[in-house]
Amino acid sequence: MQAEVSEGQVRVKRELENGWFQHIGMPLPAVLTIQSGSNKLRYATLMGIKKAKSKEVKKVTPAKLGGTAQPVAVIEAMYAPHKNKQTQLFEGDAKTAAARWWRS
């Protein structure tokens, strides 16, 4: 519901059942999943749009950030999944069904 970043740490507020809330702190970098609707819709003001147009866009290389020039990950292939209207049901326990799915 809420995230605050400070001094290499993020503090998040999450909603539990029955209206209870929990605050959790964790070190950065961190991956957060946030439910939809947590942010309130904000509209850019005309003054903000004008200021953004005049701002300089700085280009930063990995070397300037202290990283390597070599890419950490390379995308070798990307494709859209094949669409079909076929449903297949597997019966039995989860381990057996997973093994049967993997073979198909």
Side-chain angles (χ1 to χ4, degrees):
M1 293 187 66
Q2 183 180 11
E4 298 171 0
V5 179
S6 63
E7 300 177 11
Q9 190 174 17
V10 63
R11 180 177 161 88
V12 296
K13 176 182 175 183
R14 71 180 190 164
E15 185 177 9
L16 303 173
E17 292 96 15
N18 298 326
W20 289 87
F21 299 100
Q22 181 180 26
H23 294 272
I24 302 170
M26 62 191 83
L28 291 176
V31 176
L32 304 175
T33 56
I34 300 174
Q35 67 187 28
S36 63
S38 63
N39 291 340
K40 296 181 179 120
L41 185 61
R42 299 182 336 169
Y43 292 101
T45 62
L46 185 58
M47 179 69 80
I49 293 170
K50 287 184 177 183
K51 285 183 180 179
K53 284 183 180 181
S54 65
K55 287 280 186 178
E56 176 189 356
V57 177
K58 295 181 182 178
K59 293 184 180 180
V60 180
T61 63
K64 287 183 182 177
L65 295 174
T68 64
Q70 299 297 322
V72 177
V74 176
I75 299 173
E76 293 183 5
M78 187 171 10
Y79 62 92
H82 176 69
K83 293 182 181 180
N84 62 10
K85 294 185 179 186
Q86 181 181 6
T87 302
Q88 189 174 6
L89 297 176
F90 295 109
E91 295 182 10
D93 62 24
K95 188 174 182 178
T96 307
R100 198 172 313 141
W101 174 81
W102 191 255
R103 286 190 301 254
S104 64

